[in-house]
Amino acid sequence: MADVAVIAGSASDEDIVSKATSVLEEEGVSYDFQVLSAHRNPEELAAYVKGSEARVFITIAGLSAALPGVVASLTEKPVIGVPVAAGTLGGLDALLAIAQMPRGVPVACVGIGNGANAAHLAVRILKV
């Protein structure tokens, strides 16, 4: 069983994923990594989240950044969103999408591309 599930919306987010997983490895935190898009793989994403025993989810997404909100709608566990600098707005669109979740669907949001901070936050959550 992994303590943290790391989900990237695209394989192109590998650099941000590696920053997050490096911190998790340094801290001795077990994790599972998946590439699942809220738009391209909705059924697989839902099955993964609902079946996961992870205690925290780190979600990495750009542009409309639907992934963190979709994951948060499928679980009561903490979800951390990492906005990706993709497209013409440099990640601001993703940051705003993640930070503005509707009531009852909370998502923590770290800085654009900051996979390491997402992992540090996950470690702190696990220590509570």
Side-chain angles (χ1 to χ4, degrees):
M1 174 187 100
D3 287 319
V4 177
V6 179
I7 307 171
S10 171
S12 65
D13 301 330
E14 182 178 336
D15 182 49
I16 297 169
V17 170
S18 68
K19 290 174 185 173
T21 57
S22 291
V23 169
L24 295 173
E25 289 169 5
E26 288 170 15
E27 295 289 334
V29 174
S30 62
Y31 67 89
D32 180 55
F33 167 64
Q34 299 289 318
V35 176
L36 293 167
S37 166
H39 298 107
R40 293 183 295 274
N41 315 99
E43 293 86 11
E44 293 94 332
L45 176 63
Y48 176 75
V49 171
K50 290 178 181 181
S52 176
E53 294 183 14
R55 295 170 49 206
V56 179
F57 290 87
I58 294 175
T59 55
I60 301 166
L63 301 172
S64 71
L67 181 62
V70 170
V71 171
S73 76
L74 296 168
T75 184
E76 295 290 317
K77 298 172 184 174
V79 177
I80 303 165
V82 182
V84 174
T88 59
L89 297 178
L92 182 59
D93 48 351
L95 185 138
L96 293 173
I98 294 169
Q100 298 184 68
M101 289 295 108
R103 186 178 336 164
V105 188
V107 174
C109 184
V110 297
I112 297 168
N114 205 332
N117 251 10
H120 285 296
L121 179 55
V123 169
R124 286 185 178 196
I125 290 168
L126 291 170
K127 289 181 179 180
V128 174

